Each structure stands twice: as structure tokens, then as C-alpha cells.
């Protein structure tokens, strides 16, 4: 049977990844990812919409490129339901971002040029000040800029400009070195709460997954926050309806002695149920 054209490229790529992994059974993939067999069958056959949660789980299972698969999904011309692709609006505050920081938010790079060797008195005074400020480093033929007030000439370039409180970890390079810092089961084997950490981003995010088989008509929700301050403006929450799993936006925490906590809430038979006390890592 020819798969519908709606997700042809994504379905083809996923089938190739499946073959490269030894063509595992759908039941085996379902058990490893926590996704239902029906969702997997539709996804591999290009039927219906593919949520961020489904894509994220398959990326983890196949060790694939999330951004590449997401582009294949989003370039199909099929409207992805808002609950599958929308990112939560983070709490107000200058330090927060709902995703990668746009280029316009960063100052334009300083224009660099080589000073002539025949420098005037004012330039020599500037060079002397710079030499003293960096502990007597030899300038040699270093390129020198004409700084604007407050500019740090030697500030390192951050290779992870997209990292920020409230950013989607799966849309950044933070996902590349993530580890599970903490994992706890709740209500027997029905729910799993995890705290994930990226060392290169110094960022933490949470994930809750339900294994009770009752995701339809219910929701999963998780909130993370700095320990001791659940109402912090850095707290992050994400909720999905009719989903088996949800992961939160991230909190960047460069202080190694600081702890981030998470609490999970789920819908069960139409009622809101908290999954026990916070987990902290």
C-alpha cells in the first residue's frame, strides 16, 4: 500500500531508521518508547499528524537527528495540531525565552580591523589600558576593535546562544549530551518521573510518562522550578492532552550547588491527580 503523501518523507526516513536498527517489531519499539502500537503504526505509514512527543521518543530510540525529522514532518504541508507543536509561553521576565533566542535579540558583532602601526597618542593609551586589563598579555598583531561603551573586547562567544530559561531542549544542542539525573516511579508502575540534565548547557528539564494505558481523554503535565521556590519566575510548565508523555522547557542553572525540582500531575478518569511529592536533582 502506498503511504499517504501527508508525511511521506518522514515515514520513509523512519522506516529506514527502523531497518538500520534490525527492523524491530512494533511491539518492541512500543515497549522501549512508551508509545502505543497504533501510534507507531500510523507514524511509520505516514498517517495522521505526528506530535512532538512521538517524534522525541522515536529520536531517542533511533538516536536520530530531531531537527532533521521535525523539518521533514513540518515541510509536508499538513497542519500539525497546536497541542502537538505549540511551545508554552514562559513567565514574563527578561531572562526567559520560549525557544531559541532570535538573532535580533543579540547585539551585532563588533566590526574588527587592524590598526596601523603608526598609532597616535590616543590609540597608544587605549592599547596600554587593554594590555594592563588582561594582566600584561602581549598584543603582538592582535586585532583591536573600537568598542562601544561597556563592551568587553575579550568576552567569549557562547556556542549555545539558543539556551535559555524556557527554551525547548529538543530544539537546542542541549539534547546532545543529556543524561537522566533522576528517575522515580509513582503509583506502582503506572507513571515515571525523570529529571534530565545537559552539562554543556548547564540546564535541567523534566519528563513524565504514563504507562497506565489511559492517555486518551486525559492529560499529562509537569512543572520544574528552583528548589524552595515553586512560584519562581524561572519555573517552567508544560501540559499535553491525550498524550502519554510530556517534557518541560528547561531551566539554565550554572550554580552547581543549586537544585531543580519537578512535580507531575495527570488526568485520571477526568480528575486531576498529583503524582506524589517533588523530585529534586
Amino acid at each position: 500500500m502506498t503511504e499517504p503523501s501527508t508525511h511521506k518523507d518522514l515515514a520513509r526516513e523512519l522506516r529506514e531508521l527502523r531497518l538500520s536498527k534490525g527492523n524491530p517489531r512494533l511491539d518492541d519499539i512500543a515497549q522501549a518508547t512508551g508509545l502505543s502500537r497504533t501510534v507507531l503504526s500510523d507514524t511509520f505509514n505516514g498517517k495522521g499528524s505526528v506530535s512532538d512527543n512521538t517524534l522525541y521518543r522515536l529520536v531517542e530510540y533511533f538516536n536520530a537527528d530531531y531537527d532533521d525529522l521535525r523539518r521533514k514532518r513540518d515541510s509536508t504541508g499538513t497542519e500539525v495540531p497546536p497541542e502537538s507543536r505549540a511551545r508554552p509561553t514562559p513567565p514574563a521576565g527578561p531572562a526567559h525565552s520560549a525557544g531559541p533566542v532570535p538573532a535580533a535579540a543579540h547585539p551585532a558583532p563588533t566590526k574588527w580591523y587592524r590598526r596601523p602601526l603608526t598609532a597616535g597618542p590616543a590609540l597608544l593609551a587605549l592599547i596600554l589600558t587593554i594590555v594592563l586589563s588582561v594582566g600584561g598579555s602581549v598584543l603582538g598583531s592582535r586585532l583591536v576593535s573600537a568598542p562601544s561603551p561597556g563592551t568587553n573586547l575579550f568576552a567569549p562567544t557562547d556556542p549555545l546562544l539558543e539556551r535559555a530559561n524556557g527554551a525547548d531542549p529538543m530544539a537546542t544542542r542541549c539534547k546532545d549530551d543529556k543524561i537522566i539525573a533522576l528517575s522515580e516511579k509513582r503509583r506502582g508502575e503506572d507513571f515515571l518521573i525523570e529529571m534530565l540534565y545537559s552539562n554543556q548547557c548547564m540546564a535541567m528539564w523534566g519528563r513524565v510518562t504514563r504507562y497506565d494505558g489511559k492517555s486518551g481523554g486525559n492529560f499529562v503535565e509537569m512543572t520544574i522550578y528552583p528548589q524552595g521556590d515553586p512560584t519562581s519566575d524561572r519555573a517552567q510548565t508544560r501540559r499535553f492532552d491525550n498524550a502519554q508523555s510530556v517534557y518541560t522547557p528547561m531551566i539554565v542553572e550554572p550554580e552547581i550547588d543549586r537544585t531543580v525540582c519537578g512535580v507531575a500531575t495527570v488526568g485520571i478518569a477526568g480528575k486531576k491527580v498529583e503524582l506524589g511529592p517533588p523530585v529534586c536533582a
Side-chain angles (χ1 to χ4, degrees):
M1 179 183 295
T2 302
E3 78 253 10
S5 61
T6 53
H7 287 284
K8 177 174 62 177
D9 293 340
L10 176 61
R12 181 185 298 113
E13 179 72 15
L14 289 173
R15 289 198 298 270
E16 290 176 357
L17 288 170
R18 184 179 175 186
L19 288 172
S20 70
K21 200 175 177 69
N23 200 24
R25 300 180 308 157
L26 284 184
D27 288 338
D28 295 332
I29 302 176
Q31 183 176 2
T33 62
L35 298 170
S36 72
R37 197 179 189 283
T38 300
V39 167
L40 289 170
S41 177
D42 289 347
T43 301
F44 282 113
N45 286 285
K47 298 178 181 178
S49 60
V50 180
S51 71
D52 280 346
N53 173 61
T54 298
L55 203 60
Y56 171 48
R57 291 293 188 170
L58 290 173
V59 163
E60 283 196 318
Y61 179 74
F62 289 120
N63 192 25
D65 187 309
Y66 177 83
D67 291 332
D68 179 59
L69 291 182
R70 187 172 62 171
R71 280 192 297 270
K72 284 183 171 63
R73 180 197 68 182
D74 294 345
S75 65
T76 57
T78 298
E79 183 67 21
V80 179
E83 65 271 17
S84 297
R85 66 179 179 183
R87 298 195 178 106
T89 301
H96 290 74
S97 166
V101 179
H106 302 291
T110 306
K111 183 177 180 180
W112 294 91
Y113 55 92
R114 187 179 297 277
R115 292 286 192 180
L117 294 177
T118 56
L123 179 58
L124 290 175
L126 173 61
I127 293 175
L128 180 59
T129 301
I130 293 172
V131 171
L132 293 175
S133 69
V134 297
S137 299
V138 178
L139 281 178
S141 60
R142 181 186 296 276
L143 296 180
V144 180
S145 69
S148 58
T151 299
N152 181 356
L153 296 179
F154 300 101
T157 301
D158 186 354
L160 294 160
L161 289 176
E162 69 267 36
R163 71 176 184 182
N165 292 314
D168 184 337
M170 293 301 106
T172 73
R173 282 169 283 176
C174 304
K175 69 181 183 296
D176 295 342
D177 73 332
K178 71 179 183 302
I179 62 169
I180 298 176
L182 184 148
S183 177
E184 285 192 13
K185 293 180 180 179
R186 296 290 168 86
R187 297 176 72 91
E189 301 287 326
D190 285 350
F191 300 93
L192 178 66
I193 301 176
E194 298 167 291
M195 298 292 284
L196 299 102
Y197 179 73
S198 164
N199 186 60
Q200 67 174 334
C201 293
M202 294 179 289
M204 185 83 72
W205 62 96
R207 178 170 64 195
V208 57
T209 305
R210 67 189 308 156
Y211 296 101
D212 62 349
K214 299 177 181 178
S215 58
N218 286 308
F219 70 90
V220 284
E221 178 180 291
M222 189 163 182
T223 298
I224 60 172
Y225 56 87
Q227 187 176 32
D229 192 7
T231 60
S232 167
D233 61 358
R234 294 200 296 147
Q236 306 295 332
T237 299
R238 179 176 277 171
R239 166 176 168 156
F240 280 159
D241 295 323
N242 302 307
Q244 187 175 18
S245 180
V246 65
Y247 62 89
T248 72
M250 62 189 184
I251 291 178
V252 176
E253 185 52 84
E255 300 294 333
I256 61 174
D257 59 341
R258 300 287 178 85
T259 299
V260 175
C261 297
V263 291
T265 306
V266 298
I268 300 178
K271 296 181 179 180
K272 183 176 181 179
V273 177
E274 293 185 359
L275 297 180
V279 294
C280 299

